Amino acid sequence: MQLPTYDDVVAAAARLAGHAHATPVLRSATADARWGARFFFKCENFQRMGAFKFRGAFNALSKFDAAQRRAGAIAFSSGNHAQAVALSARLLAMPALIVMPQDAPAAKLAATRGYGAEVRQYDRFSEDREALTQRLAAERGMTLIPPYDHPDVIAGQGTAAKELIEETGPLDRLYVCLGGGGLTSGSALAARALSPACQVYGVEPEAGNDGQQSLRAGHIVQIPVPTTIADGAQTQHLGNYTFGIIRRDVTDILTVSDAQLVEAMRFFAERLKMVVEPTGCLAFAGACADAAAIRGQRVGVIISGGNVDLARYAALLAP
Amino acid sequence: MQLPTYDDVVAAAARLAGHAHATPVLRSATADARWGARFFFKCENFQRMGAFKFRGAFNALSKFDAAQRRAGAIAFSSGNHAQAVALSARLLAMPALIVMPQDAPAAKLAATRGYGAEVRQYDRFSEDREALTQRLAAERGMTLIPPYDHPDVIAGQGTAAKELIEETGPLDRLYVCLGGGGLTSGSALAARALSPACQVYGVEPEAGNDGQQSLRAGHIVQIPVPTTIADGAQTQHLGNYTFGIIRRDVTDILTVSDAQLVEAMRFFAERLKMVVEPTGCLAFAGACADAAAIRGQRVGVIISGGNVDLARYAALLAP
């Protein structure tokens, strides 16, 4: 197994130029004063379709050869990866088939179809999602793009940290939202190349600390689906590629509670005027919990996305 | 009365460099597709203290001579201007005294004091705010900075549109949130210089259409305090400077309902992942209401600010 490298991140950045947004890096004098640090917030909630996932999906689909393009891409996801593959396929004029649970939120189904993708729904209780997807891929000759454990996906996700560090210069610490590890491993590749002394932290929900357990154990630990408001980090295990990079290049994996996520979400709304989904709050919540360590430091925070149902968001904001 | 010019905007930009944020210009493929236009959102909700007001206040205070700096600045405001003067004074190491009503929200009092300003509260029903402020200014030798009708304030506010058009190139139409007219008149100065064919629109709340009435009548029309959720646009009349520029350089003044503001606010949260205060939604709501006119056009939208109480914001977002 050949792990992707920073050269792959550079190549991904070239493919994404003109397609992905070069998202802004925001500062907050209030955050800096409160924690005695210098924060740099990389805002992937402002990315196309509202999350960093567009970067990895577009990079992977861009590398398809002519036959793959004709047949198109297939993915299983009820979250941001579904929309990322759907939008990337539309932009690259290829078919996309997304396998989603029957009980996926109507808004997510509509958004995925809105990007022109075909949606195949399945029964979570009676059908095996992966087997179904493999069968559909074989029948139609489509290329399966997994949500995180793929070198092209990882390289694409790494372009966010590349942009961040190219804009800010070297950082002391970089905090990244951690689910399956695509964003964290890609970010680590970029940080190692552009800011070698930077310490890189993945941040998980307390209830879903499979990454932390894996790092401690030295092998991938699988957990039951965790209960957390960070729905993008309900992954049960890291992947072979993501774990391979994380164990080599990531300093540590931290965890935060749902209450800390809500506190960070409110801070983002009140002070940075940004809507951040619960999963997107992991990195900042982790940095804040690390208060003694970040004092006096240049701290990068990668906000992964902003896709949250408005009614749910309003309920979380209300005191 | 000498109206400020674009040269004053350029000079203000030089004073603001390194102090004000060069706020990002965001795009939205969803908005572009829905209205068939190309939108460029200038995000002053990401400005320091959460609103464009910092630009005008900092520019005005920067021009104080040594004696003025020693005595400091005085302002009356219960809104963003209070915080803008307080923060600017702190950055420029001078005293600030803000005159605020006794029943101003505790959060705004705290924020203003948090920037180091002295706050003098008054009884809205028994005390004359302007007379009180004039008396305090005379007693302490402080310089009064009005919220909008001042050449240095107008020139400072114009730097947002200057940054926008320098980044985007010429625009066909520019929509600006209109209260007392500081942002609209400053924006018009910048647009006339940098994109002479651009049509500039101020957008007011329906209930507070004093600007529209003034433009129609050819003189400043004063109205009672309007009832609208756009609390930053509850001004009762334009000023002599702002009206002088608006009547010369602004194409027209449009109005929108509170319901249209809430719709725009939800769109900003859901699609652009941004918290925008009701007043800050005026420009986009006005552009959307102008649907036939914006089709196929390059449309600038200046979002004025994002300072809204979280509980109130959550209540407005909830369906």
Side-chain angles (χ1 to χ4, degrees):
Chain A
M1 190 183 65
Q2 179 93 31
L3 296 177
T5 67
Y6 179 63
D7 287 345
D8 297 311
V9 178
V10 172
R15 288 183 202 102
L16 288 168
H19 299 285
H21 292 319
T23 53
V25 176
L26 295 189
R27 307 294 315 274
S28 166
T30 307
D32 288 4
R34 187 175 301 178
W35 282 277
R38 291 174 68 193
F39 286 106
F40 301 90
F41 297 98
K42 178 65 172 171
C43 297
E44 287 297 295
N45 48 333
F46 300 143
Q47 189 49 266
R48 294 189 75 161
M49 47 70 51
F52 75 96
K53 291 274 184 185
F54 176 72
R55 296 177 182 265
F58 189 88
N59 185 50
L61 270 61
S62 295
K63 292 184 71 179
F64 281 14
D65 65 25
Q68 286 178 302
R69 281 177 189 250
R70 272 193 304 277
I74 182 168
F76 52 86
S77 166
S78 57
N80 288 329
H81 182 59
Q83 293 176 55
V85 170
L87 173 58
S88 299
R90 191 185 71 184
L91 293 172
L92 294 163
M94 66 174 81
L97 175 58
I98 312 294
V99 179
M100 297 178 90
Q102 267 168 1
D103 55 355
K108 297 215 169 178
L109 286 169
T112 305
R113 289 196 176 109
Y115 288 125
E118 181 185 349
V119 173
R120 167 69 156 81
Q121 292 186 268
Y122 70 96
D123 181 344
R124 286 201 293 148
F125 303 99
S126 67
E127 289 184 277
D128 177 338
R129 177 179 75 167
E130 301 205 21
L132 171 65
T133 308
Q134 296 287 1
R135 182 169 60 73
L136 289 167
E139 278 173 19
R140 305 216 195 170
M142 289 179 131
T143 304
L144 175 64
I145 301 299
Y148 52 88
D149 204 34
H150 188 293
D152 299 336
V153 171
I154 293 167
Q157 317 307 27
T159 59
K162 175 177 181 289
E163 287 173 11
L164 168 64
I165 301 171
E166 283 175 347
E167 183 167 339
T168 62
L171 296 170
D172 298 311
R173 301 170 85 93
L174 178 64
Y175 292 85
V176 189
C177 307
L178 173 61
L183 184 61
T184 300
S185 57
S187 299
L189 293 178
R192 283 293 149 268
L194 298 173
S195 182
C198 178
Q199 298 193 288
V200 179
Y201 296 87
V203 187
E204 287 182 317
E206 255 172 27
N209 72 335
D210 61 285
Q212 190 181 58
Q213 289 186 46
S214 302
L215 203 61
R216 306 275 188 274
H219 60 85
I220 297 173
V221 173
Q222 176 155 353
I223 60 169
V225 175
T227 300
T228 166
I229 60 168
D231 52 350
Q234 287 182 305
T235 39
Q236 296 177 255
H237 56 83
L238 299 176
N240 290 317
Y241 289 102
T242 60
F243 181 62
I245 295 168
I246 286 171
R247 69 188 302 182
R248 184 190 67 196
D249 289 339
V250 165
T251 310
D252 202 1
I253 294 178
L254 315 173
T255 66
V256 294
S257 67
D258 280 6
Q260 288 172 302
L261 292 178
V262 171
E263 200 178 330
M265 174 184 278
R266 289 193 182 135
F267 187 88
F268 280 132
E270 190 154 34
R271 293 300 180 154
L272 280 98
K273 317 300 177 189
M274 289 197 302
V275 176
V276 182
E277 62 183 271
T279 308
C281 297
L282 283 165
F284 183 52
C288 296
D290 224 2
I294 63 175
R295 185 158 292 276
Q297 304 283 293
R298 290 168 56 83
V299 179
V301 171
I302 302 192
I303 295 167
S304 60
N307 291 329
V308 51
D309 175 73
L310 272 201
R312 182 157 170 263
Y313 183 63
L316 289 169
L317 280 189
Chain B
M1 191 182 65
Q2 178 93 34
L3 295 178
T5 67
Y6 180 63
D7 287 345
D8 297 312
V9 178
V10 173
R15 286 182 204 104
L16 288 167
H19 299 286
H21 292 320
T23 54
V25 176
L26 295 190
R27 306 294 317 273
S28 166
T30 307
D32 287 3
R34 186 175 302 178
W35 283 276
R38 292 174 68 192
F39 286 105
F40 301 90
F41 297 98
K42 179 65 172 172
C43 297
E44 288 296 297
N45 49 333
F46 300 142
Q47 188 50 266
R48 294 189 75 161
M49 46 70 51
F52 75 98
K53 291 274 185 184
F54 176 72
R55 296 176 183 267
F58 189 88
N59 185 50
L61 270 60
S62 293
K63 292 182 72 180
F64 282 13
D65 64 24
Q68 285 179 303
R69 282 178 188 249
R70 272 193 304 277
I74 183 169
F76 52 86
S77 165
S78 57
N80 289 330
H81 181 60
Q83 292 176 57
V85 171
L87 173 59
S88 299
R90 192 185 69 183
L91 294 172
L92 294 163
M94 65 174 83
L97 174 57
I98 312 294
V99 179
M100 297 179 89
Q102 266 168 2
D103 55 357
K108 297 215 169 177
L109 286 168
T112 305
R113 290 196 177 111
Y115 289 125
E118 181 185 349
V119 173
R120 167 66 157 85
Q121 292 186 270
Y122 70 97
D123 180 345
R124 286 202 293 147
F125 302 100
S126 67
E127 288 184 275
D128 177 337
R129 176 179 75 168
E130 303 205 20
L132 171 64
T133 309
Q134 295 288 1
R135 184 169 60 73
L136 290 167
E139 280 174 16
R140 304 215 196 171
M142 289 179 131
T143 305
L144 174 64
I145 301 299
Y148 52 88
D149 204 33
H150 187 292
D152 299 336
V153 172
I154 293 168
Q157 317 305 29
T159 59
K162 175 177 182 287
E163 286 173 10
L164 169 64
I165 301 171
E166 283 175 347
E167 181 166 340
T168 63
L171 297 169
D172 298 312
R173 302 171 84 93
L174 178 63
Y175 291 85
V176 189
C177 307
L178 174 60
L183 185 62
T184 300
S185 57
S187 299
L189 293 178
R192 284 292 147 270
L194 298 173
S195 181
C198 177
Q199 297 194 289
V200 179
Y201 296 88
V203 187
E204 287 181 318
E206 254 171 27
N209 72 335
D210 60 285
Q212 191 182 56
Q213 290 186 47
S214 302
L215 202 62
R216 305 275 188 275
H219 60 83
I220 296 173
V221 172
Q222 176 155 353
I223 60 169
V225 176
T227 300
T228 167
I229 60 168
D231 53 350
Q234 287 182 305
T235 40
Q236 295 177 254
H237 56 83
L238 299 176
N240 291 317
Y241 289 102
T242 60
F243 181 61
I245 296 168
I246 286 171
R247 70 187 303 181
R248 183 189 69 196
D249 290 338
V250 166
T251 310
D252 202 1
I253 293 177
L254 314 172
T255 66
V256 294
S257 68
D258 280 5
Q260 288 172 301
L261 292 178
V262 172
E263 201 178 328
M265 174 184 278
R266 288 193 181 134
F267 187 88
F268 280 132
E270 191 153 34
R271 294 299 182 155
L272 279 98
K273 317 301 176 190
M274 286 197 304
V275 175
V276 182
E277 62 183 271
T279 308
C281 296
L282 282 165
F284 184 52
C288 296
D290 224 1
I294 62 174
R295 187 158 290 277
Q297 305 283 292
R298 290 168 55 84
V299 179
V301 171
I302 302 192
I303 294 168
S304 59
N307 291 329
V308 52
D309 175 74
L310 271 200
R312 181 156 171 262
Y313 183 64
L316 289 168
L317 281 189

